[in-house]
């Protein structure tokens, strides 16, 4: 499986555990996301962007093949990097620095994650501490440890249910509700999305 880790510009907790997890992933960065490669001590296969948010010291400190984009464009460096990963045959994508930071960018990253999922790409978003998974209609199993906290969010509406949690839920039509926030896994959980889209958020 072709696995790619894409370093985006949002906040990322660079830990040894994350560094170990990235073994076997092809590592690409979008503009200021390059700073995360430096923090992790990892080598980039490609550094893409217009570099308007990468200061000179970062560009001097980080040695990586660059693909320079024009500043006047109709998409973010992050979306351009996603397209590049798809061109390179990505089958699994880990979006690092995709959560937190600017709200508009976070929402776009979530929408792009659903687009990847619709293309059959396995996708996860993380800030190094919390994790998010886009869920399309179907049954989704997650091997969580007991007492793992999680939330399920209709995005923006969905009929979904969950088993294996402190508060199980039969398939229920949900929209604009906090009912499925702050649940707790008893172990592995199963989420069934019967209609719409949902987001699993681990924190």
């Amino acid at each position: 499986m072709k696995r790619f880790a894409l370093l985006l510009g949002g906040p990322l907790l660079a830990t040894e555990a994350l560094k170990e997890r990235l073994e076997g992933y092809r590592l690409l960065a979008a503009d200021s996301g390059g700073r995360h490669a430096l923090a992790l001590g990892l080598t980039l296969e490609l550094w893409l962007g217009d570099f308007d948010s990468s200061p000179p010291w970062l560009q001097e400190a980080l040695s990586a093949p660059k693909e320079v984009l024009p500043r006047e464009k109709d998409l973010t460096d992050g979306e351009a990097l996603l397209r590049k990963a798809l061109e390179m045959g990505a089958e699994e994508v880990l979006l690092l620095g995709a959560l937190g930071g600017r709200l508009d960018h976070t929402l776009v990253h979530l929408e792009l994650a659903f687009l990847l999922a619709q293309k059959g790409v396995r996708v996860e978003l993380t800030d190094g501490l919390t994790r998010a998974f886009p869920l399309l209609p179907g049954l989704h199993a997650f091997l969580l440890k007991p007492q793992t906290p999680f939330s399920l969010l209709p995005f923006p509406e969905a009929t979904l249910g969950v088993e294996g949690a402190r508060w199980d839920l039969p398939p229920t039509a949900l929209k604009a509700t906090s009912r499925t926030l702050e649940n707790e896994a008893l172990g592995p959980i199963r989420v069934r999305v019967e209609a719409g889209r949902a987001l699993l958020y681990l924190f």
Side-chain angles (χ1 to χ4, degrees):
M1 177 175 288
K2 294 183 179 180
R3 302 191 299 169
F4 286 77
L6 307 187
L7 297 171
L8 306 180
L12 181 69
L13 182 62
T15 64
E16 281 300 315
L18 178 59
K19 183 176 179 179
E20 292 175 6
R21 185 184 175 191
L22 292 177
E23 292 182 7
Y25 282 83
R26 298 172 68 176
L27 197 63
L28 316 180
D31 204 334
S32 63
R35 74 188 188 279
H36 301 315
L38 203 61
L40 289 163
L42 296 176
T43 301
L44 289 175
E45 181 176 334
L46 176 67
W47 193 10
L48 176 148
D50 56 26
F51 299 99
D52 64 344
S53 53
S54 294
W57 69 263
L58 177 58
Q59 298 189 51
E60 292 173 6
L62 186 60
S63 176
K66 286 184 179 180
E67 182 173 327
V68 180
L69 303 178
R71 292 194 177 187
E72 298 294 329
K73 56 185 183 302
D74 58 0
L75 75 171
T76 64
D77 293 328
E79 183 175 353
L81 189 66
L82 272 173
R83 293 184 181 185
K84 175 64 69 172
L86 289 175
E87 289 174 9
M88 297 169 73
E91 297 171 283
E92 179 179 329
V93 171
L94 180 58
L95 297 174
L96 300 120
L99 304 173
R102 283 178 51 176
L103 177 61
D104 55 347
H105 282 243
T106 296
L107 291 174
V108 165
H109 295 154
L110 291 171
E111 286 291 358
L112 290 172
F114 278 105
L115 180 62
L116 289 174
Q118 289 166 359
K119 292 179 179 291
V121 177
R122 294 176 58 183
V123 59
E124 175 186 337
L125 306 92
T126 184
D127 58 8
L129 183 62
T130 64
R131 305 163 67 190
F133 300 85
L135 306 179
L136 298 176
L139 180 63
H140 307 269
F142 295 90
L143 298 176
L144 303 184
K145 296 179 180 179
Q147 299 183 330
T148 299
F150 72 90
S151 292
L152 273 174
L153 305 168
F155 202 88
E157 56 185 293
T159 299
L160 58 87
V162 61
E163 298 176 346
R166 183 177 180 185
W167 293 286
D168 281 353
L169 180 74
T172 304
L174 300 169
K175 180 180 180 180
T177 179
S178 60
R179 179 179 177 183
T180 49
L181 297 188
E182 298 186 21
N183 207 334
E184 184 178 287
L186 302 179
I189 65 169
R190 295 164 302 284
V191 180
R192 181 177 297 279
V193 181
E194 294 191 349
R197 308 185 308 177
L199 188 77
L200 174 66
Y201 180 66
L202 308 180
F203 56 94

